[in-house]
Amino acid sequence: MAEERMSSDGEEKAKTGPKLTLWPLIALIFYEVSGGPFGVEDSVGAGGGPLFALLGFLIFPLIWSVPEALITAELATAFPENGGYVVWISSAFGPFWGFQEGLWKWFSGVIDNALYPVLFLDYLKHSFPIFNRLIARIPALLGITFSLTYLNYRGLHIVGISAVSLAVFSLFPFFVMGLLSIPKIRPTRWLVVDYNKVQWRPYFNSMFWNLNYWDKASTLAGEVENPNKTFPKAIFGAVVLVVSSYLIAILAGTGATSSSYREWNDGYFAEVGMLIGGAWLKWWIQAAAAMSNMGLFEAEMSGDAFQLLGMSEMGMLPAIFASRSKYGTPTFSILCSATGVIFLSWMSFQEILEFLNFLYAIGMLLEFAAFIVLRIKKPELHRPYKVPLQTCGAALLCLPPAVLLLLVMCLASLKTFFISGAVIVLGFCLYPALVQAKVRKWTTFSGEKPAVAPTIGKQSNSVQQQPHEELEDEASISLLSGLSSTNENQHVKPDLVEGSLHLA
């Protein structure tokens, strides 16, 4: 019996693969949040000059990135499962709000993913102006989306050392640009600002987008080796890497060139490379941008698709969302995410940015609330890493980023309010409809945890064995069935004990 058990454990370990260590996890978080300084150019143009862009990337991380990263570290280690924030919200407020969180974050992720083909073409158009014309731009957007979606269908392999290598490739040209710019830098250029030309809405949206999505790393929590120590270190390392990459690129680009801030829009770093180093550096930055945007697209697509798969395994969505291809990828979930990307890619960079920020902000407000509620209601919850603040301090930690979230939402356009409101109404209507579909057996739902979930790419939803073996895996419980009083076989009652929901 012992040999059989050891053999079974060894087989499962071989199938799930080794867990993530510190440096690969830093690289993966880096790609969830940033992928490099591509896309920060708008902060200079919308900010009326370099000064506000530089101040923003010095101040915003303190009031936004650091609090979000700390909260993610605590909740991800308390719930070391790939369900991430859906599990947190379900534990604090119940399955209804967990479902809403999942829907908002999925829409936000799909909208975010629509940016990367746009950014890719915005870099290419500086060398190939034909991509400014719709006759070439639309087929190119469709071709990029279809090809990268197919690669995702075949399985995402940007994990571990591959993620580290890709991050080095994406950042190295900016390191070279920084060195070449030193003799040409004039510090007075960093102080330029035209207060009358500051566009606050695009500025805040650009700043917010380039510094968010730290909570996405929670989807990897179940795959981290020794998460109570590794996860907080990796979060801190990723914060330093992301912020420093932004500052170095902007300091070099604005300090060593005399170009007007009006020229700074998405894709402009290619021209900056041309001005500082010549054509070879311009082409290098474009190649790095292409690789970075492909990596970001694949990572986001995987995260969005596996989030739907995870919600399906929790019983929140029909079982078809958990169906896998022969490569182990969630086929239907990938198709849903890719369809959303195609419909959104025709919009401008700023429009996409505003929509995704609004939905992301709503979801983050719910996460901050869950963080505080779990501190109050479940002080005994096992927290391998805990933010070194009492409940009052934890609430104060959430205050500055919450104010920033509300500011971003208030600056949104009427069009954004309308579309985001439609998504919220959709979620409120969809949840009871899914409950009825489950109760009346209109479609198949699954709340069962698969015996072995294959590790697929960097956003895998593999089920890892928890430190407390006697506890039920929260991701394996059908949360929707807990609302149905007509459930024939058993009633699911959420009862949080040590971070798990148990069957009553």
Side-chain angles (χ1 to χ4, degrees):
M1 178 68 75
E3 289 184 9
E4 182 180 349
R5 187 172 185 179
M6 289 176 63
S7 175
S8 175
D9 291 343
E11 183 180 353
E12 181 173 348
K13 185 176 181 180
K15 290 182 178 180
T16 58
K19 291 190 176 183
L20 291 168
T21 53
L22 179 61
W23 285 106
L25 183 58
I26 289 176
L28 291 173
I29 296 173
F30 170 74
Y31 268 100
E32 291 289 358
V33 176
S34 169
F38 313 104
V40 304
E41 300 98 327
D42 271 20
S43 63
V44 178
L51 181 62
F52 278 178
L54 292 170
L55 288 177
F57 285 118
L58 286 171
I59 298 172
F60 274 66
L62 298 177
I63 63 176
W64 171 252
S65 297
V66 172
E68 185 185 7
L70 289 173
I71 291 169
T72 297
E74 176 170 318
L75 293 178
T77 52
F79 301 92
E81 305 170 17
N82 292 329
Y85 33 74
V86 176
V87 180
W88 311 343
I89 305 302
S90 299
S91 301
F93 302 116
F96 175 82
W97 289 109
F99 177 83
Q100 304 306 320
E101 172 79 2
L103 186 70
W104 299 339
K105 284 303 183 75
W106 179 79
F107 267 103
S108 176
V110 170
I111 296 172
D112 179 58
N113 222 13
L115 281 173
Y116 303 126
V118 173
L119 279 174
F120 178 74
L121 292 183
D122 283 342
Y123 271 88
L124 286 185
K125 72 183 182 183
H126 290 284
S127 296
F128 304 99
I130 191 173
F131 288 117
N132 276 318
R133 302 173 60 185
L134 290 179
I135 192 172
R137 191 174 183 86
I138 292 177
L141 286 171
L142 292 176
I144 293 169
T145 302
F146 282 129
S147 59
L148 293 180
T149 299
Y150 177 72
L151 288 176
N152 200 276
Y153 165 75
R154 292 294 300 266
L156 184 62
H157 303 293
I158 306 176
V159 291
I161 300 302
S162 298
V164 175
S165 301
L166 194 56
V168 170
F169 181 82
S170 300
L171 293 177
F172 198 65
F174 290 97
F175 174 73
V176 173
M177 186 175 76
L179 292 178
L180 294 176
S181 70
I182 292 175
K184 304 178 181 180
I185 284 179
R186 302 293 181 268
T188 54
R189 294 170 178 165
W190 295 333
L191 304 179
V192 173
V193 59
D194 186 346
Y195 294 98
N196 296 323
K197 298 297 182 180
V198 177
Q199 304 172 54
W200 292 111
R201 190 168 73 195
Y203 171 78
F204 277 108
N205 276 309
S206 177
M207 201 64 61
F208 182 63
W209 174 67
N210 282 292
L211 291 168
N212 64 15
Y213 280 94
W214 298 98
D215 62 331
K216 269 283 187 179
S218 65
T219 60
L220 300 172
E223 301 176 17
V224 177
E225 181 180 322
N226 195 10
N228 58 322
K229 293 183 178 180
T230 304
F231 208 94
K233 290 179 181 178
I235 286 280
F236 175 77
V239 169
V240 173
L241 184 61
V242 168
V243 175
S244 60
S245 70
Y246 291 164
L247 288 175
I248 289 173
I250 295 178
L251 286 170
T254 59
T257 65
S258 57
S259 56
S260 171
Y261 69 87
R262 295 180 181 86
E263 299 178 45
W264 283 75
N265 48 45
D266 53 287
Y268 189 66
F269 269 128
E271 293 302 316
V272 173
M274 179 74 179
L275 295 172
I276 292 177
W280 64 272
L281 186 55
K282 173 182 178 178
W283 284 95
W284 192 4
I285 290 175
Q286 288 178 333
M291 295 300 294
S292 178
N293 282 304
M294 285 194 291
L296 287 163
F297 185 98
E298 291 294 293
E300 186 65 60
M301 175 70 76
S302 179
D304 296 338
F306 276 100
Q307 179 189 318
L308 295 181
L309 180 145
M311 292 175 69
S312 177
E313 291 179 343
M314 296 166 69
M316 288 185 170
L317 291 173
I320 190 174
F321 286 93
S323 61
R324 296 175 183 262
S325 69
K326 62 181 180 179
Y327 304 106
T329 49
T331 309
F332 190 76
S333 297
I334 288 175
L335 288 175
C336 286
S337 299
T339 302
V341 169
I342 291 172
F343 276 105
L344 293 166
S345 293
W346 59 271
M347 294 189 301
S348 70
F349 181 86
Q350 281 296 333
E351 283 180 321
I352 296 174
L353 208 62
E354 191 172 309
F355 292 150
L356 76 89
N357 281 346
F358 193 94
L359 290 174
Y360 185 83
I362 299 174
M364 282 309 306
L365 287 173
L366 199 55
E367 288 181 29
F368 290 155
F371 172 65
I372 298 171
V373 166
L374 289 173
R375 278 292 191 96
I376 296 173
K377 292 186 175 180
K378 302 295 175 182
E380 77 285 356
L381 176 65
H382 180 60
R383 295 173 172 88
Y385 170 80
K386 185 176 182 179
V387 179
L389 296 170
Q390 298 301 318
T391 303
C392 182
L396 291 176
L397 176 70
C398 296
L399 185 59
V403 171
L404 177 61
L405 291 171
L406 293 173
L407 177 61
V408 170
M409 294 170 67
C410 290
L411 289 173
S413 65
L414 186 61
K415 184 178 181 180
T416 298
F417 275 105
F418 176 78
I419 295 178
S420 301
V423 172
I424 294 172
V425 171
L426 174 65
F428 285 2
C429 296
L430 192 58
Y431 184 82
L434 288 171
V435 172
Q436 288 300 311
K438 187 169 189 177
V439 171
R440 300 178 183 276
K441 297 183 179 180
W442 291 338
T443 186
T444 304
F445 284 79
S446 174
E448 299 298 325
K449 179 169 62 175
V452 178
T455 300
I456 305 298
K458 73 179 221 179
Q459 290 295 339
S460 169
N461 275 268
S462 302
V463 179
Q464 304 290 343
Q465 187 174 359
Q466 303 303 318
H468 305 284
E469 294 185 2
E470 73 277 6
L471 299 179
E472 294 288 341
D473 183 353
E474 189 164 357
S476 71
I477 293 180
S478 178
L479 297 176
L480 279 175
S481 61
L483 296 182
S484 174
S485 59
T486 62
N487 196 330
E488 297 178 1
N489 298 320
Q490 61 182 2
H491 177 72
V492 180
K493 180 181 179 181
D495 182 21
L496 186 63
V497 180
E498 292 278 318
S500 295
L501 294 175
H502 293 273
L503 295 175

